[in-house]
């Protein structure tokens, strides 16, 4: 998770929401990424999707059995779907996402009985650090918007 937090910090540096993710099998990192939807002009460029794409390319297989995805925030519905389709065995996330989280905050995506793959999950790993990073990012953004409004007044 420490590496995922480092990746999240990279996202913040380019003014993207600070989310980082990596796919691991055993001791090997198969793929990693951080949020890039704004800078890449791609609404699917979430950290999880980038990490999964990289891992699938490395493995030359769209399925990633036996792998674990570490991510700094609870995955959204799009990412949860990609996790199931790629057959990732386990997801470990730091902070819950009360607005769009699809694992335990809403939807309970991995618990849907019609899915043909079961994904185990664990939340709360280094949650405080992930929450602090995201809260600081949005506080800075709010401050920048406030300053811009004041300059335009």
């Amino acid at each position: 998770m420490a590496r995922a937090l480092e990746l999240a910090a990279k996202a913040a540096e380019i003014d993207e929401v600070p989310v980082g993710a990596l796919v691991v099998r055993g001791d090997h990192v198969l793929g990693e990424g951080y949020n890039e939807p704004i800078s890449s002009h791609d609404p699917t460029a979430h950290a999880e999707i980038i990490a999964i794409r990289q891992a699938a390319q490395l493995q030359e297989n769209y399925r990633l059995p036996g792998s674990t995805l570490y991510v700094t925030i609870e995955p959204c519905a799009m990412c949860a779907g990609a996790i199931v389709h790629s057959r990732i065995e386990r997801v470990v996330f730091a902070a819950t996402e009360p607005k769009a989280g699809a694992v335990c905050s809403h939807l309970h995506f991995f618990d849907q009985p019609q899915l043909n793959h079961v994904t185990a999950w664990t939340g709360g790993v280094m949650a405080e650090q992930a929450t602090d990073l995201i809260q600081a990012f949005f506080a800075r953004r709010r401050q920048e918007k406030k300053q811009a409004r004041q300059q335009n007044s």
Side-chain angles (χ1 to χ4, degrees):
M1 190 60 74
R3 177 63 182 151
L5 287 164
E6 290 172 7
L7 293 164
K10 286 185 177 187
E13 288 172 12
I14 62 169
D15 212 24
E16 295 274 5
V17 175
V19 179
L22 59 153
V23 176
V24 176
R25 185 181 296 133
D27 293 334
H28 299 8
V29 174
L30 303 178
E32 59 183 31
Y34 50 86
N35 268 8
E36 299 182 55
I38 298 166
S39 57
S40 68
H41 312 291
D42 178 358
T44 68
H46 289 196
E48 299 96 311
I49 300 295
I50 293 168
I52 291 168
R53 285 177 180 158
Q54 228 180 62
Q57 290 297 311
L58 180 71
Q59 296 297 292
E60 297 182 346
N61 192 341
Y62 72 106
R63 299 235 167 116
L64 302 167
S67 63
T68 299
L69 173 79
Y70 293 90
V71 62
T72 56
I73 195 158
E74 178 184 0
C76 69
M78 175 186 68
C79 293
I83 290 162
V84 168
H85 284 293
S86 63
R87 305 298 194 264
I88 288 174
E89 184 175 316
R90 182 169 168 244
V91 172
V92 178
F93 63 87
T96 56
E97 213 303 12
K99 292 183 180 178
V103 176
C104 61
S105 294
H106 303 287
L107 299 182
H108 301 271
F109 192 92
F110 296 145
D111 299 331
Q112 298 303 309
Q114 74 277 14
L115 295 176
N116 61 355
H117 174 71
V118 176
T119 303
W121 63 271
T122 302
V125 176
M126 298 181 79
E128 187 175 333
Q129 294 92 322
T131 299
D132 290 349
L133 185 61
I134 287 183
Q135 287 178 343
F137 173 80
F138 283 111
R140 180 179 55 82
R141 263 194 165 170
R142 284 189 298 275
Q143 184 61 33
E144 288 170 357
K145 285 182 181 181
K146 181 180 176 182
Q147 290 172 343
R149 281 194 306 270
Q150 289 172 345
Q151 289 175 351
N152 293 332
S153 301

